[in-house]
């Protein structure tokens, strides 16, 4: 039997969080008559209570409004409660409101740490420090009324029984950001508190994905780290599973590969093209389009060359269309899967072009546009469409790389601009810094929140070895500072050569030091990664 949602147990939309010395109490304040949720600050255990505990005159509890419970995360010796403390209404889906998380907060339930060994306390502090990153997680969306993890077409195809399930039961696990953190609440059957949260963007869709074989880049202070293909013999099997999954969910698939045809990207592209031959059919097509060679950095209008090659697929595979009574008139039969290397900049420019063409098809179909009319024929509409896709690209890019999308000026204005090129240069440098010095810790935090790693008290928790000398103080930012200082002094010395030839010697010394530091960092990368490592993979 499928578990049906109790109509009286709708999700709570507004609550009051009470901070007592020994427990947190979450009180629904949205007109519901449900029980309050009490969470122990000692071990994170929870139970429902009917009344708010009496507070003493000595210590008055702190009280604040919250808009949802994201979940509970258990670490070595304590649990941590994540709640939504700020929300912004950003639109609607299927006529129902969607909110964006504007702020969230982590509340520790770690009083039991007082009685744990010193080493466990130290490790708990390191791991709980990663939760500070969770409080700054961008692009989190939720709805109290509709499942935003499913497309409109999949929502429409759900059976009546499925539509009666609680939202967390309807959600696609791939897009349920707090899936792991909800487990404790699910075990305690706390449906009114079980709020599904998705990370992404509500402004655009069609499918992005990395090159679907096993490959990696090792951070080594170079601007573009080398690509390494892993477990080469497994590539056909991995790719076959990926496209089988896409076929089940979306129908026909056109894989558009935008990477370069030369260098490291070229090797990946060749492997992708070779492996995809094992699954190529009428249902799965592969197309390579060397974006940088054809479009360069300014001629993005040449994407029309790509469109001419994929128009037949787009026309054939249609789109979802309802009539005024809610009946399905057209159904989407396939999807364009777009990739570059990180699926951000080239991908977003390309997808905005496809999205524009599809919207024009739809507007002609329902009689809003005539046969020759385009979005660009309507300046206000055109401007809003460009802004939407540019914001979409920025949203996804900030979540992945920490900066807005490159090439965003073309999406936003329809052309490359001098300011856009300058912004790209700045963002490229920022990405270099973040990729080398911050992304490892960010990935650890993501793995922790998603349950890809579970920290537990076990024999694996052993004191870390003490390092002396350079290793005790070394870090990637320090290495970067030394390298930049070395190159700066090299340039300054070279500029003085015409006045004093001794500066040739100093230039050589400074340049050699800089190169030596880079070489040392590349050879001893782990020495500079002074961050806690998650140690136990989740089974």
């Amino acid at each position: 039997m499928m578990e049906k949602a109790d109509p009286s147990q709708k999700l709570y939309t507004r609550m009051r969080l009470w901070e007592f010395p020994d427990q947190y109490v979450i009180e629904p304040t949205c007109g519901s008559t449900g029980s309050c949720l009490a969470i122990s600050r000692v071990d994170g255990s929870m139970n429902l209570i009917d009344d708010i505990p009496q507070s003493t005159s000595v210590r008055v509890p702190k009280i604040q409004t919250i808009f949802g419970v994201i979940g509970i995360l258990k670490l070595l010796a304590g649990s941590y409660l994540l709640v939504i403390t700020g929300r912004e209404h950003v639109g609607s889906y299927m006529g129902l409101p969607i909110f964006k998380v504007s702020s969230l907060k982590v509340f520790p339930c770690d009083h039991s740490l007082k009685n744990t060994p010193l080493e466990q306390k130290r490790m708990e502090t390191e791991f709980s420090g990663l939760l500070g990153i969770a409080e700054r997680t961008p692009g989190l969306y939720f709805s109290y009324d509709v499942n935003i993890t499913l497309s409109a077409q999949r929502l429409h195809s759900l059976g009546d029984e499925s539509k009666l399930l609680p939202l967390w039961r309807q959600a696609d696990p791939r897009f349920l950001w707090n899936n792991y953190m909800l487990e404790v609440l699910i075990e305690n059957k706390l449906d009114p508190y079980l709020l599904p949260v998705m990370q992404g963007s509500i402004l655009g869709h069609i499918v992005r994905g990395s090159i679907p074989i096993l490959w990696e880049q090792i951070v080594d202070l170079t601007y573009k780290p080398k690509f390494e293909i892993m477990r080469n013999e497994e590539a056909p099997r991995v790719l076959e599973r990926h496209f089988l999954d896409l076929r089940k969910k979306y129908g026909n698939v056109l894989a558009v590969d935008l990477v370069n045809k030369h260098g490291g990207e070229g090797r990946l592209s060749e492997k992708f093209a070779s492996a995809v031959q094992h699954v190529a059919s009428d249902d799965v097509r592969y197309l390579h389009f060397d974006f940088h060679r054809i479009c360069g950095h300014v001629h993005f209008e040449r994407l029309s060359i790509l469109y001419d090659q994929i128009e037949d697929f787009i026309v054939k595979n249609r789109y979802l269309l309802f009539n005024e009574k809610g009946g399905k008139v057209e159904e989407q039969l396939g999807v364009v899967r777009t990739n570059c290397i990180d699926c951000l900049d080239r991908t977003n420019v390309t997808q905005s072009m496809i999205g524009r063409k599809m919207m024009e098809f739809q507007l002609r179909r329902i009689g809003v546009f005539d046969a020759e009319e385009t979005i660009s024929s309507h300046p206000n509409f055109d401007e809003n469409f460009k802004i939407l896709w540019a914001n979409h690209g920025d949203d996804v890019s900030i979540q992945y790389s920490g900066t807005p999308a490159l090439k965003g000026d073309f999406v936003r204005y329809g052309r490359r601009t001098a300011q856009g090129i300058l912004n790209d240069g700045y963002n490229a440098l920022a990405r270099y810094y973040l990729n080398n010095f911050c992304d490892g810790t960010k990935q650890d935090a993501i793995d922790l929140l998603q349950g890809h790693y579970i920290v537990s008290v076990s024999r694996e928790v052993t004191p870390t070895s003490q390092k002396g000398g350079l290793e005790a103080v070394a870090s990637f930012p320090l290495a970067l500072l030394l390298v930049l200082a070395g190159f700066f002094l090299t340039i300054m010395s070279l500029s003085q050569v015409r006045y004093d030839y001794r500066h040739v010697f100093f230039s050589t010394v400074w340049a050699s030091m800089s190169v030596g530091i880079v070489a040392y960092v590349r050879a001893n990368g782990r020495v500079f990664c002074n961050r806690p490592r998650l140690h136990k993979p989740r089974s």
Side-chain angles (χ1 to χ4, degrees):
M1 276 295 286
M2 301 182 80
E3 178 188 339
K4 296 185 179 181
D6 183 344
S8 66
Q9 294 290 295
K10 292 192 67 175
L11 285 169
Y12 298 139
T13 60
R14 184 183 292 266
M15 290 152 278
R16 191 179 289 127
L17 176 65
W18 300 69
E19 296 183 51
F20 291 97
D22 61 337
Q23 65 182 339
Y24 301 110
V25 175
I26 300 175
E27 174 196 12
T29 58
C30 52
S32 300
T33 57
S35 299
C36 301
L37 175 62
I39 304 167
S40 168
R41 297 182 69 168
V42 176
D43 58 10
S45 61
M46 56 186 67
N47 63 288
L48 293 174
I49 58 177
D50 293 328
D51 300 302
I52 300 295
Q54 294 293 321
S55 57
T56 65
S57 57
V58 178
R59 189 165 185 177
V60 178
K62 294 181 182 178
I63 306 172
Q64 67 176 294
T65 298
I66 65 172
F67 303 98
V69 177
I70 288 178
I72 297 279
L73 185 69
K74 185 170 180 59
L75 297 184
L76 281 173
S79 296
Y80 296 80
L81 169 68
L82 286 77
V83 299
I84 298 169
T85 54
R87 70 183 182 190
E88 176 187 357
H89 180 236
V90 292
S92 62
Y93 183 48
M94 308 295 284
L96 296 166
I98 299 177
F99 298 91
K100 182 176 183 179
V101 175
S102 56
S103 62
L104 65 86
K105 190 171 181 181
V106 178
F107 291 90
C109 309
D110 59 356
H111 288 357
S112 60
L113 273 177
K114 297 174 184 177
N115 303 316
T116 57
L118 182 62
E119 178 61 21
Q120 287 186 20
K121 286 182 181 178
R122 187 193 67 77
M123 292 194 68
E124 182 82 3
T125 300
E126 290 181 342
F127 286 121
S128 63
L130 294 174
L131 298 182
I133 296 175
E135 293 184 331
R136 302 187 296 274
T137 301
L140 298 179
Y141 295 89
F142 64 93
S143 173
Y144 302 107
D145 305 295
V146 63
N147 181 5
I148 62 173
T149 68
L150 296 184
S151 66
Q153 184 159 299
R154 292 185 67 192
L155 271 178
H156 185 267
S157 64
L158 283 179
D160 292 337
E161 289 288 309
S162 296
K163 292 176 182 177
L164 293 174
L165 293 173
L167 282 183
W168 69 268
R169 290 287 302 275
Q170 297 180 32
D172 185 333
R174 296 179 302 157
F175 306 123
L176 186 55
W177 181 77
N178 58 334
N179 192 22
Y180 175 61
M181 291 177 278
L182 286 178
E183 286 183 359
V184 177
L185 281 75
I186 292 171
E187 290 171 3
N188 285 273
K189 303 185 184 306
L190 299 170
D191 279 359
Y193 293 96
L194 286 163
L195 178 65
V197 177
M198 183 188 80
Q199 185 179 29
S201 172
I202 64 166
L203 299 175
H205 177 63
I206 314 185
V207 173
R208 299 172 184 238
S210 177
I211 293 178
I213 56 177
L214 301 176
W215 59 278
E216 65 179 2
Q217 286 177 286
I218 303 298
V219 174
D220 58 4
L221 279 187
T222 57
Y223 183 69
K224 288 189 175 182
K226 292 181 179 179
F227 302 101
E228 298 292 340
I229 298 176
M230 305 162 58
R231 305 207 294 270
N232 195 31
E233 69 284 353
E234 296 185 33
R237 182 182 60 83
V238 170
L239 187 138
E240 183 177 4
R241 284 176 52 194
H242 174 68
F243 278 96
L244 178 61
D245 183 60
L246 289 179
R247 284 281 292 108
K248 288 180 178 178
K249 289 182 170 66
Y250 303 105
N252 302 320
V253 181
L254 171 59
V256 177
D257 183 11
L258 302 171
V259 303
N260 300 338
K261 204 64 176 175
H262 60 274
E265 290 192 12
R267 290 194 297 275
L268 283 178
S269 180
E270 288 174 10
K271 192 64 184 176
F272 185 11
S274 174
V276 83
Q277 299 307 314
H278 296 274
V279 297
S281 64
D282 292 339
D283 300 331
V284 177
R285 284 175 51 192
Y286 168 86
L287 174 65
H288 180 263
F289 182 82
D290 193 331
F291 187 101
H292 282 154
R293 183 182 65 80
I294 298 172
C295 299
H297 295 285
V298 293
H299 296 294
F300 298 158
E301 72 280 357
R302 293 177 183 167
L303 279 171
S304 60
I305 298 172
L306 171 62
Y307 180 72
D308 290 341
Q309 299 177 62
I310 65 176
E311 182 179 19
D312 63 328
F313 180 90
I314 291 176
V315 171
K316 176 183 175 183
N317 285 281
R318 313 305 291 163
Y319 42 80
L320 178 66
L321 179 65
F322 296 125
N323 60 26
E324 63 276 7
K325 295 181 180 179
K328 186 163 60 176
V329 178
E330 295 275 5
E331 182 175 12
Q332 184 175 339
L333 303 174
V335 70
V336 179
R337 181 202 189 277
T338 319
N339 77 271
C340 44
I341 288 298
D342 51 19
C343 301
L344 298 180
D345 312 314
R346 287 172 278 184
T347 295
N348 200 61
V349 172
T350 303
Q351 288 193 336
S352 69
M353 178 270 291
I354 297 172
R356 174 180 290 263
K357 295 294 186 180
M358 289 303 303
M359 178 163 280
E360 288 172 347
F361 283 146
Q362 294 165 359
L363 292 174
R364 292 181 190 124
R365 174 67 173 78
I366 62 176
V368 175
F369 279 6
D370 62 33
E372 302 300 322
E373 207 167 358
T374 64
I375 291 175
S376 57
S377 306
H378 303 269
N380 289 337
F381 186 13
D382 186 50
E383 180 181 6
N384 287 327
F385 183 88
K386 289 173 181 174
I387 290 172
L388 180 148
W389 270 97
N391 290 343
H392 170 66
D394 287 345
D395 286 349
V396 175
S397 181
I398 287 170
Q399 292 167 37
Y400 182 84
S401 69
T403 76
L406 308 184
K407 306 175 178 67
D409 54 336
F410 180 82
V411 179
R412 195 174 296 275
Y413 307 114
R415 66 184 188 281
R416 292 247 64 182
T417 64
Q419 184 62 50
I421 293 172
L422 288 174
N423 289 342
D424 282 1
Y426 172 80
N427 288 328
L429 287 174
R431 285 185 182 182
Y432 171 78
Y433 174 82
L434 294 170
N435 184 49
N436 280 280
F437 311 137
C438 302
D439 280 359
T441 302
K442 176 181 173 183
Q443 186 61 51
D444 276 354
I446 292 171
D447 287 337
L448 193 66
L449 293 171
Q450 301 300 311
H452 299 315
Y453 289 89
I454 297 177
V455 290
S456 62
V457 180
S458 70
R459 282 179 244 176
E460 297 176 41
V461 181
T462 55
T464 54
S465 59
Q466 298 296 316
K467 294 180 173 66
L470 177 63
E471 293 189 15
V473 297
S475 66
F476 265 131
L478 175 61
L480 177 65
L481 180 63
L482 292 173
V483 170
L484 292 179
F487 280 121
F488 174 76
L489 292 171
T490 301
I491 293 171
M492 292 296 292
S493 295
L494 285 172
S495 68
Q496 300 297 316
V497 166
R498 56 180 173 172
Y499 304 114
D500 188 341
Y501 285 103
R502 287 180 300 177
H503 285 285
V504 173
F505 169 76
F506 291 120
S507 299
T508 304
V509 170
W510 296 126
S512 299
M513 286 177 59
S514 301
V515 172
I517 292 170
V518 171
Y520 183 83
V521 171
R522 293 188 66 182
N524 301 274
R526 292 185 181 180
V527 171
F528 294 86
C529 295
N530 291 332
R531 54 189 174 86
R533 297 301 304 173
L534 302 175
H535 62 277
K536 185 178 181 183
R538 188 183 186 195
S539 60

